[in-house]
Structures are given as C-alpha cells and as structure tokens.
C-alpha cells in the first residue's frame, strides 16, 4: 500500500516537472490517432513553418516576461517589419540585405521606445507597449497606404517557400533564434541578469547593476525579433501587409505561459517556450485537419491554455508546501 | 489543577525525511505569557504553524481548553481563537487602520460599509489595549511598531484567546518594545494566552512567565526564565556556552578613508562623521530616525541635496548604486528577503551578482571559475547549504544573511555598510556574522554598522553616531559608548542642555 502510494507520488512529481512535455506528447499521440494525415512529413513541416513567426516573437516575449514585463506591440511590429521590408525592396529599390537590415533597425527602434518608457521613465510595460502597439500598427498602415506591397525578389520568396535539407528555411531561422536565446539564458551574464531582475529587481539594483539598461535591451531585442517574423511573413506570402500579426502578441504570451514562465518574471526557459509554441500550433493544426470551424477552435485553444496553466498552479502550490 | 488553554502532547512532524519536531509537549495556561526560544531551524515556527493549522502534525494530540481538537486549516485555528502575528506584517498599506483591523468582518448594512460604526469599533479596540491611534489614518503611513499594534488589534477582533507573536520586537526600537510589552501585559490581564517567540533573551526574562526551549525539534527545557537564568537558557538552546558574544577585534585603525560633511537629503540632515580603515563605525537610533536613509544616500539610492561625501579624500557624487559599487562601496540592506538576496535564485547566482564581470569572458559566464569562487566563499563564511545550486530560499535566515555578505567578499571594497546585519537571526549565527565583520575590518575596510540593538553597537563598534528624528544627535567615542548615552541621544536629550 505505502509503496504504491510512494510510486504514485513519484510519478505525479515527474509529471509536474515535465508537464509541458507531457501535454505536447499527449497532443501528438491524440493527433496521430484522430488523423492519418498528421504524421506526414508534409504536414509536420507545414505546421513548423506556420509556427515559425510565433516561435521567433515568443523568444523575444520570453526575455521581456522574464524581467516581469510584457510586450503587447510585437504583433503590430511584425506588420511594420513586413511592410518596411517590402517597401524598401519594391518602392525604394534597395538591395535585399539593406532592405532587411533597415526593416529590423526600424522595429528595434520602436522596441527601444517601449524600453525607454519602461526602464527610464518608469511606465508600466502594459501601458507603454499598448501605446506602441497602436502607434506601430498605424505606421504600417501609413507607409503601405493601407494596401499590401507586392514583392518580386526571388531570393526572399524562395527563402519563404524553399527547403534546406527538406527543412523549410523559416523553420531553420526559428531554430537558430531559439538556440541563441537558449544560450543567452543559460550561459551569459545578460541572461542571468534578465532572470535576476524579474526575480528581485531591488536586490539586483543594490548589487550595483544598471537594471534600466537590461530592461531597455529586452524590448529592443523583442522588436528586432518581431521584424524578423515580419520578414518571414513577407517572404512566405510575397506581400508586405499592414494587416498581418493581429493578435499574435497574445499567442506569444500564451506560448511563454504554457511553457511554464511566470508573468511575475524570473521563471521560464527557451526550451519550454518552444514547446509552448508547438503546443499552440499543434492544436490549430489538428483542428484544421479535422475541419473544426474557426470559432470553436478559439474556444478549444483557450481551454487548453487554462488546462496547461492550471497544472503549473498545482506545481507551485505543491512545491510551496514543502 | 486548572485546565490549560493549550496543550500539545508528543507532537511530531517531518518534512521529506527531515524530522522537524520530535515528541514536543508544550502547554500554555490562560493569561500566561509563554516564551518559545531556540535557534533558527529548531522547530519553533513549525510548532506554531501546526498550532495555527497552517501545517498538519504527523503524530501527537492538541487540546484546547481540555478538549481534543483537530486543527487542519488556518480557518479552524482561528475559530478556536488562535491567531499568529508573523514577523513579516500583513497590513494592507493603502487602506485605513480601521479597515485593516476589521478586514474580514467589516460592519456593513446591505453591503454598504458603516464607516462611523467601523471607526468607533476600531477606536474602542485600540483603546482597550491602552493605546491611541487614529483609526482613520492610512495604515501604510504608520511606523512599524504601530502597524504591529494594528495587527494585534486585528487578531483581537477575531476574539483571539491565544495570540502567537513571531519575533515581534525584531523591527522595534527599545522604546517601542516597552509599548508592546505594556500591551501584552494588558492582554494578559484579559486572560489572553500569549506565545512569544524571540531571539532576544533579555526580553524573555523581562516579559515571560515561563519559557520552553527547543533545540533540533526537541524540547530541551521548560521553566520560569528568571529562575533558569540567561546563560542556562542559551546552553539549552545551542548545547554549548557562548563565552564571547562579541568576538574581540585587534585591528589597528588606519587612515581616514571615508568622510561625510553636513549631509542633507529629504529625509536626514546635519550628518557629519568619518570612518577610518579597519574601523567599525556604528549608527544607532530608533527605527525611523534616519539611519537607513544615511546608508541610502551614501549608496546612491536617495539623492543628496547638500553636503559632501568623500571616499579616500575624493568627493563622491553617487547617482546610483552602480556608481557606488564601482568606487568600492558595498551595502547589505536591512530587508534581507526583499533587498539583500534573490530568494528564488541559487546561492551561486546570488554570490556572484556583484562580480559577474570578473568571472565572465565576452559576456559568457565561466562556469568552473564561478563554481570554485562560490565554493571557496561558502566554506570561508561557513554558509550551511546542500550545494551552491540550492535556492537561497531554502537556507535559514542566518545563512541567507551570510550570502548577502558573501556577495561583497569578491569585490574590491573600501567601505561596507551593514544595515541591521543580525536582525532576526539566531545567537549562534550572530556571532559568526560578528566574526565576519571583524574579518572585513582586518582587511582594512571601513565598516558602517547600523543597528537597533544597543548591545550590538556597544559590543562591536569603535565609535557610533546616534540619530534622532532625521538629525545626528551626536557621536560617542568607545569610552562613552553605553546604553545610557545612546538612549539619551536617541531620545533627543541634548548632552549640553544642563551646561548652557
């Protein structure tokens, strides 16, 4: 009896520790059972390509959330990145590298504005980035005059739709950015301090560290990543559109949270965030395969977020008791 | 024989294999002030949490008024009249005193708060324990001592018959302790049973009717404090004798390395003193007299309005802690858990927070260098932890404080400011902290030590400034450093009054 109980406790602990992994695993099993089309190479890479944009902005979002901030502007910034990259290519006729560089630079600038308001002006991250969200969406509309800008750059378009070793380029880019963020959080001073600031900003400040600099930096990085996601969108669709990325900031936040990060900051990893992105993408994918209409899809997605985070609640509550 | 208010018989509790309490028997009579003492980790808090229903016991029985009860949640405890007042107060700072007191049962009619009734009831309650606080004041504006009184009133509003005070005087100045004791004596007359947890044995001797000593989860003695004597109680607590509470320091003080001239901020004014290399300079005074504010001004947290701060004869204009640290000033803040350490992060991550530059290359942390650096400090400072990768939260208060100190050991310091370095930690750990302070002074650092404990200032400092209401009341040299002089200055009685 006692042994059984102990075993159950151990299994439960294991489940709590790897709850994000378990949820993903369960979803994969369920998906492959209910749809024979799921486990095809085509579908898997399609799925990965679909989530690559969300995946990249989620990495920026993770950094921001680790400092106990939030960045609501990334969806709009994605549109800015998309529109500007197309604008510079098509209308300004700049070369590809220059166009992409400038698009990223512009989003980094807007991210820096959020960062400045939050870290040097003491504005609440929610408010500052909410303002930037509407400003940048507006900028995307102004620059594109409200309509999509069509591109005809073959290199960029093939980047969006071609494969390297059978893996789509955008997926490779997402993996690359994931690895960079993972390394930053794991091995660098910057990563350590980002987490430390989210855990206890005052203690970090009193250790003689310029907290504002790090808080500023995460918003700038988040902006740059949003631009990259915007460029992917342009590459995939062949147009720079001011409409893309609406509501994507919420998907990114959801992915980070499903990955076990705390909105209070200090807790979260790049790997689990990536799992969160995959979980969200998978839910959409399988429902599309089963032809579930869009509206119920949203309800089910929300329920799964609740479910995933409830388990984390159990986890922290459980740990606190000991 | 009269029935005990509380009777805990053979209570045991373990956490994941660690036996926190072993067959503890603990009894309190109505109207009795029962002290509970022991080192950190001795099991005092665990025992009290079991009594209040925050933890459940593994074995044993609890009787309230002679009846066996099962207290399996805090609500149940409260219904039995058991209330704990924790060291960290749970006042809601943005609402009034009256609202705080009656937070869980605001007098309302159809959901609308009856303010006049609320304020009247609060005022009656505060006065009933011999006090006078305006119930309409916003609670966050009160001093810590008064917040504590509010907290006690809150407990009484639940008809508390058993009041547990966890380290109530840790944040109080001596005069405020007297106020608290007066309140406790009033409560005693009303037949309230009080369990008083404290590290300060002088207080136990003064206020408690009986004392129970815990060591490693077991009761090592129960008796009347005055009959047992302080030394005997310490023996029971730590199992050895502390002959030298304040270890001797044989350091020749060197040149003057730090000087403040007529410092004025929006919290303090007229502060001037010097600190020599190897000197421990104390800042005494009541809570709220501006001691911490001096530290904050030196460290670049609060802006300096007028006055000059010199470090090694160079004027300092610290606009941020970063600048202060880069010039060689370190600070261990008074609120260990909120400001001193990052509880969720590991011992390693906390220790190297100040030295990340020297243990990294191109922004990457050199793992081995960091490990060996931390390992050395953990051994040197005798920080008790399973490994350097354990969250600081899992350490006892004394060891957390050592981590807060360890942060500064690897930096190139000239001056360190210690704000209440031994608050809320046990006797054994205190002595170790004192030894570390001596070690720092031996290395030629200037040490500024802020403390509410006069004996600590007297025992540790070469000289001390005393603050009174935001102004420096005077500096006492070693020979004049005694409780009487400190109190006189802290209370604002000018030395020269008689002479002029």
């Amino acid at each position: 009896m006692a042994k059984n109980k102990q075993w159950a406790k151990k299994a439960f602990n294991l489940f709590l520790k790897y709850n994000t992994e378990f949820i993903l695993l369960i979803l994969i099993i369920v998906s492959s059972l209910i749809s024979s089309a799921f486990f095809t190479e085509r579908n898997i890479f399609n799925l990965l390509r679909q989530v690559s944009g969300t995946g990249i902005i989620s990495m920026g979002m993770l950094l921001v959330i680790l400092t106990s901030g939030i960045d609501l502007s990334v969806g709009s910034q994605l549109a800015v990145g998309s529109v500007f990259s197309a604008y510079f290519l098509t209308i300004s006729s700049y070369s590809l590298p220059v166009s992409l560089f400038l698009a990223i630079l512009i989003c980094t600038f807007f991210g820096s504005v959020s960062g400045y308001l939050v870290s040097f002006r003491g504005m609440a991250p929610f408010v500052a980035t909410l303002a930037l969200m509407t400003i940048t969406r507006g900028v995307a509309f102004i620059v594109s005059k409200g309509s999509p800008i069509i591109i005809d750059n073959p290199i960029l378009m093939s980047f969006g739709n071609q494969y390297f070793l059978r893996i789509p380029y955008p997926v490779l880019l997402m993996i690359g950015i994931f690895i960079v963020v993972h390394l930053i959080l794991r091995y660098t001073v910057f990563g350590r301090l980002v987490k430390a600031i989210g855990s206890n900003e005052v203690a970090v400040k009193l250790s003689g560290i310029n907290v504002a600099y790090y808080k500023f930096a995460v918003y700038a990085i988040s902006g740059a990543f949003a631009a990259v996601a915007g460029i992917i969108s342009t590459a995939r669709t062949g147009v720079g559109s001011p409409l893309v990325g609406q509501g994507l900031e919420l998907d990114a936040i959801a992915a980070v949270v499903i990955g076990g990060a705390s909105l209070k900051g200090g807790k979260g990893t790049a790997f689990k965030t990536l799992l969160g992105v995959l979980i969200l993408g998978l839910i959409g994918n399988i429902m599309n395969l089963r032809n579930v209409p869009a509206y119920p899809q949203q309800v089910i997605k929300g329920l799964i977020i609740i479910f995933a985070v409830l388990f984390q609640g159990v986890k922290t509550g459980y740990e606190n008791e000991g | 024989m009269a029935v005990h208010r509380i009777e805990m018989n053979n209570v045991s509790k373990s956490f994941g294999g660690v036996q926190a309490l072993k067959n503890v028997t603990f009894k309190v009579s109505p109207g009795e002030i029962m002290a509970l003492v022991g080192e950190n980790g001795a099991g005092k808090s665990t025992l009290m949490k079991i009594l209040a229903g925050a933890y459940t016991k593994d074995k044993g029985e609890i009787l309230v008024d002679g009846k066996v009860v099962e207290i399996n949640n805090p609500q149940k405890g409260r219904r039995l009249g058991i209330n704990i007042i924790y060291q960290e107060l749970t006042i809601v700072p943005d609402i009034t005193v009256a609202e705080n007191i009656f937070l869980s049962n605001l007098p309302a009619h159809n959901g609308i708060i009856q303010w006049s009734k609320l304020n009247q009831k609060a005022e009656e309650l505060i006065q009933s324990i011999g006090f006078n606080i305006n119930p309409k004041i916003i609670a966050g504006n009160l001093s810590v001592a008064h917040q504590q009184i509010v907290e006690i009133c809150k407990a009484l509003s639940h008809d508390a018959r058993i009041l547990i005070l966890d380290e109530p005087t840790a944040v109080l100045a001596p005069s405020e302790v007297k106020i608290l004791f007066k309140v406790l004596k009033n409560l005693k007359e009303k037949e309230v049973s009080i369990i008083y947890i404290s590290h300060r044995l002088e207080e136990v001797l003064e206020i408690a009717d009986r004392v129970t000593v815990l060591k490693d989860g077991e009761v090592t003695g129960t008796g009347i404090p005055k009959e047992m004597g302080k030394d005997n109680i310490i023996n029971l607590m730590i199992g050895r004798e502390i002959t030298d509470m304040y270890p001797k320091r044989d350091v020749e003080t060197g040149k003057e390395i730090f000087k403040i001239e007529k410092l004025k901020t929006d919290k303090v004014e007229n502060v001037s003193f010097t600190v020599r290399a190897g000197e421990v300079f104390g800042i005494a005074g009541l809570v709220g007299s501006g001691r911490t504010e001096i530290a904050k001004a030196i460290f670049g947290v609060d802006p300096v309005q007028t006055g000059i701060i010199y470090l090694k004869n160079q004027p300092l204009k610290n606009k941020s802690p970063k600048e202060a640290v880069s010039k060689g000033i370190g600070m261990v803040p008074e609120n260990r858990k909120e400001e001193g350490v990052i509880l969720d992060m590991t011992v390693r991550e906390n220790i190297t927070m100040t030295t990340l530059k020297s243990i990294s290359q191109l922004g990457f942390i050199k793992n081995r260098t960091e490990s060996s650096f931390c390992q050395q400090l953990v051994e040197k400072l005798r920080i008790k932890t399973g490994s350097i990768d354990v969250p600081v939260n899992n350490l006892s208060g004394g060891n957390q404080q050592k981590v807060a100190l360890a942060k500064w050991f690897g930096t190139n310091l000239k001056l360190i400011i210690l704000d209440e370095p031994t608050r809320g930690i046990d006797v054994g750990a205190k002595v170790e902290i004192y030894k570390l302070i001596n070690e720092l002074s031996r290395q030629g650092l200037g040490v500024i030590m802020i403390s509410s404990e006069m004996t600590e200032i007297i025992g540790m400092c070469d000289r001390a400034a005393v603050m009174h209401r935001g102004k420096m009341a005077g500096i006492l040299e070693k020979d004049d450093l005694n409780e009487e002089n400190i109190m006189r200055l802290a209370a604002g009685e000018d030395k020269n009054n008689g002479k002029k």
Side-chain angles (χ1 to χ4, degrees):
Chain A
M1 242 330 249
K3 233 179 190 175
N4 246 345
K5 209 176 155 190
Q6 229 174 26
W7 188 87
K9 203 176 161 184
K10 257 189 186 164
F12 186 59
N13 280 338
L14 204 69
F15 172 72
L16 289 178
K17 191 172 172 196
Y18 296 106
N19 73 85
T20 320
E21 286 86 342
F22 270 110
I23 290 168
L24 182 64
L25 196 70
I26 291 165
L27 278 175
I28 290 173
I29 293 169
V30 170
S31 304
S32 50
L33 287 178
I34 61 178
S35 169
S36 55
F38 176 74
F39 249 125
T40 56
E41 188 183 316
R42 195 182 122 93
N43 183 54
I44 296 292
F45 281 130
N46 213 5
L47 161 66
L48 286 176
R49 183 158 47 195
Q50 274 163 8
V51 300
S52 57
T54 319
I56 289 167
I57 63 173
S58 297
M59 290 300 141
M61 186 67 79
L62 172 66
L63 292 178
V64 174
I65 285 179
L66 280 175
T67 66
S68 78
I70 199 144
D71 189 351
L72 298 178
S73 72
V74 287
S76 301
Q77 297 238 38
L78 187 148
V80 171
S82 170
V83 164
F84 271 98
S85 57
Y87 182 89
F88 290 132
L89 267 178
T90 308
I91 299 180
S92 314
S93 302
Y94 292 155
S95 73
L96 182 64
V98 171
S99 304
L100 300 189
F101 176 76
L102 287 176
I104 294 172
L105 197 67
I106 286 166
C107 284
T108 310
F109 165 76
F110 284 126
S112 304
V113 175
S114 300
Y116 168 78
L117 292 173
V118 170
S119 53
F120 295 102
R121 294 272 130 203
M123 206 179 266
F126 193 98
V127 178
T129 59
L130 182 68
L132 261 293
M133 170 176 147
T134 80
I135 289 171
T136 47
R137 180 68 67 187
V139 167
F141 274 109
I142 292 167
V143 170
S144 64
K145 300 198 177 73
S147 51
I149 302 170
I150 297 162
I151 61 161
D152 53 3
N153 186 300
I155 303 176
L156 189 58
M157 287 172 81
S158 68
F159 174 82
N161 299 299
Q162 299 295 309
Y163 305 82
F164 177 76
L165 297 174
R166 301 164 87 175
I167 304 171
Y169 281 108
V171 176
L172 286 173
L173 190 57
M174 173 180 77
I175 292 171
I177 285 180
F178 154 69
I179 291 172
V180 168
V181 172
H182 174 77
L183 293 178
I184 285 176
L185 289 178
R186 197 83 194 259
Y187 298 108
T188 69
V189 172
F190 182 84
R192 164 132 354 141
L193 288 176
V194 162
K195 278 191 276 186
I197 288 166
S199 285
N200 187 341
E201 190 174 326
V202 181
V204 177
K205 196 171 175 188
L206 292 181
S207 297
I209 286 153
N210 190 350
V211 169
Y213 163 77
Y214 292 90
K215 282 171 78 177
F216 172 83
V218 291
Y219 290 92
I221 294 172
S222 177
F225 284 180
V228 172
I231 291 167
I232 290 179
S233 160
T234 302
R236 271 182 62 199
T237 57
V239 292
S241 162
L243 289 165
V244 291
Q246 296 204 35
L248 213 61
E249 61 279 349
L250 301 180
D251 276 359
I253 294 166
V256 174
V257 170
I258 289 172
S262 161
L263 285 183
K264 288 187 199 135
K267 232 179 82 201
T269 68
F271 180 67
K272 289 223 170 193
T273 299
L274 188 67
L275 296 182
V277 171
L278 295 178
I279 287 171
L280 274 183
L282 227 136
I283 297 166
N285 180 264
I286 190 61
M287 286 191 291
N288 281 337
L289 289 178
R290 296 292 293 176
N291 294 322
V292 178
Y295 298 150
Q297 269 198 29
Q298 292 186 348
V299 175
I300 293 168
K301 200 157 121 184
L303 289 176
I304 289 187
I305 294 171
I306 292 175
F307 177 73
V309 176
L310 270 183
F311 266 109
Q312 287 151 14
V314 172
K315 189 177 173 181
T316 38
Y318 195 77
E319 277 172 354
N320 282 345
E321 207 191 319
Chain B
M1 202 186 97
V3 179
H4 285 114
R5 175 67 54 76
I6 294 275
E7 201 173 326
M8 299 176 88
N9 291 324
N10 298 315
V11 170
S12 295
K13 171 81 183 171
S14 60
F15 293 106
V18 179
Q19 189 88 31
L21 293 174
K22 276 171 249 171
N23 295 325
V24 171
T25 294
F26 181 73
K27 292 170 186 165
V28 190
S29 303
E32 184 179 38
I33 300 181
M34 179 70 172
L36 183 61
V37 299
E39 291 197 286
N40 279 343
K44 293 169 302 194
S45 302
T46 310
L47 186 68
M48 288 305 107
K49 282 181 176 165
I50 288 173
L51 182 58
Y55 290 159
T56 49
K57 60 188 185 313
D58 296 342
K59 268 197 310 200
E61 60 170 7
I62 302 175
L63 286 80
V64 175
D65 295 328
K67 278 184 224 117
V68 178
V69 288
E70 283 299 323
I71 309 173
N72 28 31
N73 59 52
Q75 288 77 27
K76 186 84 181 281
R78 205 165 296 154
R79 246 177 284 138
L80 290 165
I82 302 169
N83 269 275
I84 289 200
I85 293 170
Y86 290 102
Q87 207 172 338
E88 285 88 19
L89 298 179
T90 54
I91 291 282
V92 182
D94 297 325
I95 59 178
T96 68
V97 167
E99 284 174 283
N100 263 294
I101 294 176
F102 292 100
L103 195 56
S104 58
N105 49 346
L106 288 168
H109 186 69
N110 295 332
I112 293 163
I113 296 174
Q114 297 169 298
W115 286 102
S116 56
K117 195 175 165 192
L118 171 68
N119 289 331
Q120 193 200 334
K121 274 173 76 180
E123 197 161 2
E124 281 169 14
L125 193 55
I126 297 167
Q127 280 170 357
S128 77
I129 58 168
F131 236 80
N132 205 353
I133 301 172
N134 183 352
K136 294 174 192 167
I137 289 178
I138 299 294
N141 295 343
L142 293 174
S143 70
V144 181
H146 284 177
Q147 288 185 6
Q148 205 167 42
I149 303 296
V150 172
E151 192 96 51
I152 291 173
C153 290
K154 190 172 157 186
L156 294 177
S157 80
H158 300 295
D159 289 325
R161 296 179 310 138
I162 300 137
L163 196 60
I164 305 165
L165 298 157
D166 190 358
E167 290 279 337
T169 56
V171 290
L172 301 186
S175 61
E176 295 171 320
V177 173
K178 290 212 175 77
I179 295 169
L180 176 71
F181 282 3
K182 211 179 96 194
V183 170
L184 295 186
K185 280 175 189 151
N186 281 337
L187 290 175
K188 183 179 149 79
E189 265 161 36
K190 295 182 182 180
E191 294 284 287
V192 175
S193 299
I194 295 162
I195 301 171
Y196 187 90
I197 302 176
S198 183
H199 286 304
R200 298 183 181 178
L201 296 181
E202 292 86 359
E203 292 173 359
V204 170
L205 288 166
E206 187 184 337
I207 189 83
D209 299 316
R210 289 194 306 141
V211 60
T212 289
V213 187
L214 279 179
K215 178 176 177 288
D216 299 332
E218 285 178 281
V219 175
T220 51
T222 297
I224 296 164
K226 282 179 189 123
E227 289 175 8
M228 291 166 81
K230 189 176 165 187
D231 293 341
N232 197 8
I233 296 174
I234 291 180
N235 281 347
L236 292 170
M237 275 168 70
I238 57 178
R240 68 189 146 90
E241 234 168 303
I242 289 199
T243 46
D244 217 354
M245 182 76 189
Y246 301 103
K248 277 219 166 53
R249 180 175 64 245
D250 40 8
V251 179
E252 282 282 305
T253 51
K255 277 191 216 152
E256 171 187 309
I257 55 165
F258 180 80
K259 185 159 88 175
I260 274 191
E261 257 176 22
K262 291 188 179 148
L263 175 80
K264 183 174 186 295
T265 72
D266 61 350
K267 306 263 176 54
V268 292
E269 58 184 314
N270 197 20
V271 177
S272 308
F273 61 82
T274 59
V275 182
R276 293 166 194 276
E279 185 180 37
V280 178
F281 185 87
I283 302 180
L286 306 179
V287 168
S289 62
R291 300 168 310 176
T292 299
E293 284 70 21
I294 298 175
K296 283 186 170 165
I298 298 171
F299 203 57
V301 180
D302 287 351
V304 173
Q305 288 174 349
T306 55
I308 312 173
I309 301 171
Y310 297 93
L311 186 68
K312 289 211 162 169
N313 294 324
Q314 297 289 315
L316 278 185
K317 285 214 163 76
N318 291 332
K319 291 206 183 66
S320 69
K322 183 184 155 73
E323 281 179 57
V325 172
S326 71
K327 303 232 168 73
I329 300 178
M331 180 167 85
V332 176
E334 64 174 330
N335 300 315
R336 175 169 63 240
K337 291 178 181 197
E338 290 83 28
E339 301 178 337
V341 293
I342 304 173
L343 289 172
D344 292 334
M345 296 189 96
T346 61
V347 172
R348 166 210 293 263
E349 287 167 323
N350 270 282
I351 289 180
T352 55
M353 194 54 63
T354 49
T355 39
L356 282 168
K357 256 195 192 126
S358 59
I359 55 147
S360 62
Q361 201 166 25
L362 300 170
F364 281 84
I365 296 166
K366 291 189 278 188
N367 191 25
R368 273 195 208 148
T369 315
E370 184 180 37
S371 295
S372 66
F373 174 73
C374 292
Q375 210 69 56
Q376 273 173 19
L377 278 178
V378 164
E379 277 162 33
K380 185 174 175 186
L381 275 67
R382 286 196 278 161
I383 300 172
K384 274 186 209 132
T385 174
S387 88
I388 55 171
D389 293 310
V390 167
V392 169
N393 208 1
N394 295 4
L395 273 56
S396 70
N399 283 303
Q400 288 180 359
Q401 190 69 339
K402 285 186 192 171
V403 170
L405 259 172
K407 281 208 287 202
W408 301 107
F409 269 70
T411 61
N412 191 13
L413 280 194
K414 300 185 181 76
L415 178 81
I416 187 159
I417 308 165
L418 307 167
D419 197 351
E420 300 281 6
T422 65
R423 175 194 282 178
I425 65 180
D426 62 63
V427 184
K430 273 185 181 178
V431 177
E432 293 200 23
I433 297 276
Y434 296 145
K435 284 183 184 155
L436 291 172
I437 293 173
N438 286 348
E439 166 74 23
L440 287 168
S441 89
R442 205 166 294 131
Q443 289 170 12
L445 265 71
V447 179
I448 296 178
M449 186 169 98
I450 299 171
S451 178
S452 293
E453 288 190 36
M454 279 192 284
T455 50
E456 186 171 275
I457 293 275
I458 296 162
M460 285 299 295
C461 297
D462 297 310
R463 291 184 303 143
V466 184
M467 296 294 292
H468 170 68
R469 291 194 181 161
K471 287 181 187 152
M472 199 174 83
I475 292 179
L476 295 167
E477 299 291 331
K478 185 82 190 172
D479 295 340
D480 300 329
L481 211 47
N482 57 45
E483 296 204 14
E484 200 192 331
N485 283 340
I486 295 176
M487 271 322 291
R488 204 176 50 219
L489 288 173
E493 295 164 27
D494 197 317
K495 261 196 219 171
N496 304 323
N497 265 356
K499 292 175 191 168
K500 274 179 187 171

